[in-house]
Amino acid sequence: MSGLPIISADARMAEPRSDKGVIFGKSGIGKTSLLHTVGAATTLFFDLEAGDLAVEGWPGDTIRPRTWDECRDFAVFIGGPNPALRDDQYYSQAHYDAVVQKFGDPSLLAKYRTIFVDSITVAGRLCFQWCKGQPQAFSEKSGKPDIRGAYGLHGQEMIAWITHLQHTRGKNVWFVGILDEKTDDFSRRYFAPQIEGAKTGLELPGIVDQVITMTEIRPEEGPSYRAFICHTLNPWGYPAKDRSGRLEMIEEPHLGRLMEKIHQPVKPAAERLSFERPEKVTEAAPAAGAPDSLQQQ
């Protein structure tokens, strides 16, 4: 009789570490060029943008899926099967077996340590195009297209795809995507990922380990420079998260060195976590552009 499948602390800490993250930034900031900062021999470029002019001369390997079916096939080939799924579902053992028959021996991927997906924005478009042709995208009564059904299916498909890649053991998976700057009804500026539908953009930060914004910093003196914003609490309101606890709020825009820092030995929890409340707490002022009722309180 087998025992309770508990993973000991020593066994868990001895497991090889990998990180999953997303890097957002405006168009032209240099997201795709980050490929030049990672090891070409151990990186697989998941090229959805067909915008590899930025990495001309980069000597690494590339795959170029053109459809949502191909995106799912590559995801299960990279991440392996999900034992919780039925054989008639994507990412199941049956799906994995069919993809292995199509692509060959999965050991072909053993040399790759990092999967660089460019971009999640285009993946969302391919997914939505596929969703618009599915039965859920049509009204059961009239048979006419139902855009709400298409968006609902799109959210489910994208989250399943991202989650499957998130569970890939032993490989770093980094998505890049476009970051839009928007204004709400009160003329307040905020940032949001450029992805079809709302569900993916809202849930993605809770799935991956790292959320990084690649942006331009303009100091009061001196020239502007590019940087990674890595902390949720940042003065610009950029989307960011550091699950590793090893990064500073501002890091240099070098993905290779960022991953090295994430994989460094972790500091004791008492040194990197603070649960204390400041001795003196002042009431925060309302955000700029807030309703008059809030500003008068």
Side-chain angles (χ1 to χ4, degrees):
M1 183 176 179
S2 60
L4 190 64
I6 293 178
I7 301 173
S8 68
D10 291 339
R12 176 174 54 81
M13 290 188 287
E15 292 177 343
R17 295 297 175 193
S18 60
D19 44 84
K20 313 299 190 294
V22 58
I23 300 173
F24 292 120
K26 66 181 182 180
S27 297
I29 196 67
K31 300 182 297 297
T32 305
S33 298
L34 292 171
L35 268 175
H36 289 295
T37 70
V38 296
T42 58
T43 300
L44 180 62
F45 181 23
F46 200 110
D47 182 14
L48 292 163
E49 290 268 1
D52 55 357
L53 186 62
V55 290
E56 186 176 3
W58 182 73
D61 296 338
T62 303
I63 53 175
R64 290 175 177 157
R66 298 292 302 276
T67 67
W68 183 238
D69 283 326
E70 290 179 342
C71 288
R72 288 184 297 202
D73 287 349
F74 280 123
V76 76
F77 193 61
I78 292 168
N82 183 344
L85 300 179
R86 302 185 307 272
D87 283 347
D88 61 339
Q89 293 178 291
Y90 288 102
Y91 314 115
S92 65
Q93 183 67 53
H95 182 203
Y96 177 73
D97 293 341
V99 170
V100 169
Q101 288 286 330
K102 178 180 178 181
F103 292 151
D105 189 350
S107 64
L108 294 170
L109 299 175
K111 68 175 184 176
Y112 301 116
R113 175 66 177 160
T114 300
I115 310 297
F116 187 90
V117 183
D118 183 21
S119 68
I120 196 169
T121 301
V122 175
R125 294 171 188 161
L126 292 178
C127 179
F128 191 59
Q129 177 64 29
W130 178 86
C131 290
K132 288 192 295 184
Q134 303 309 304
Q136 296 93 321
F138 296 88
S139 171
E140 293 182 357
K141 295 182 178 180
S142 66
K144 295 181 179 179
D146 180 4
I147 196 68
R148 294 173 300 177
Y151 273 118
L153 179 60
H154 174 268
Q156 297 172 21
E157 284 285 328
M158 286 295 294
I159 294 303
W161 184 67
I162 295 167
T163 301
H164 191 78
L165 288 171
Q166 162 71 17
H167 283 81
T168 302
R169 288 287 179 182
K171 295 188 187 300
N172 307 311
V173 179
W174 284 90
F175 304 92
V176 298
I178 297 174
L179 186 67
D180 286 336
E181 181 178 336
K182 300 182 178 182
T183 304
D184 66 13
D185 294 338
F186 301 112
S187 299
R188 293 175 297 195
R189 186 183 67 167
Y190 70 98
F191 299 94
Q194 188 184 107
I195 306 175
E196 291 284 351
K199 182 179 177 68
T200 306
L202 290 173
E203 296 191 19
L204 175 60
I207 298 174
V208 297
D209 303 315
Q210 309 293 136
V211 179
I212 309 293
T213 291
M214 186 176 183
T215 189
E216 178 185 12
I217 302 294
R218 297 179 180 178
E220 294 183 1
E221 297 182 1
S224 61
Y225 59 92
R226 293 181 302 167
F228 284 160
I229 308 301
C230 308
H231 286 188
T232 304
L233 302 179
N234 65 79
W236 305 279
Y238 289 124
K241 181 183 77 170
D242 174 28
R243 190 173 281 172
S244 74
R246 297 172 174 88
L247 303 180
E248 301 295 331
M249 182 173 68
I250 299 178
E251 294 281 355
E252 61 177 331
H254 191 290
L255 182 56
R257 287 197 281 267
L258 189 85
M259 288 193 289
E260 289 177 2
K261 192 169 184 178
I262 291 172
H263 295 161
Q264 288 177 354
V266 66
K267 295 180 181 179
E271 296 182 16
R272 58 189 173 90
L273 300 177
S274 175
F275 302 99
E276 298 179 357
R277 182 182 180 185
E279 293 182 2
K280 186 177 181 180
V281 179
T282 57
E283 186 175 348
D292 293 339
S293 58
L294 289 179
Q295 295 181 0
Q296 294 171 1
Q297 290 180 357

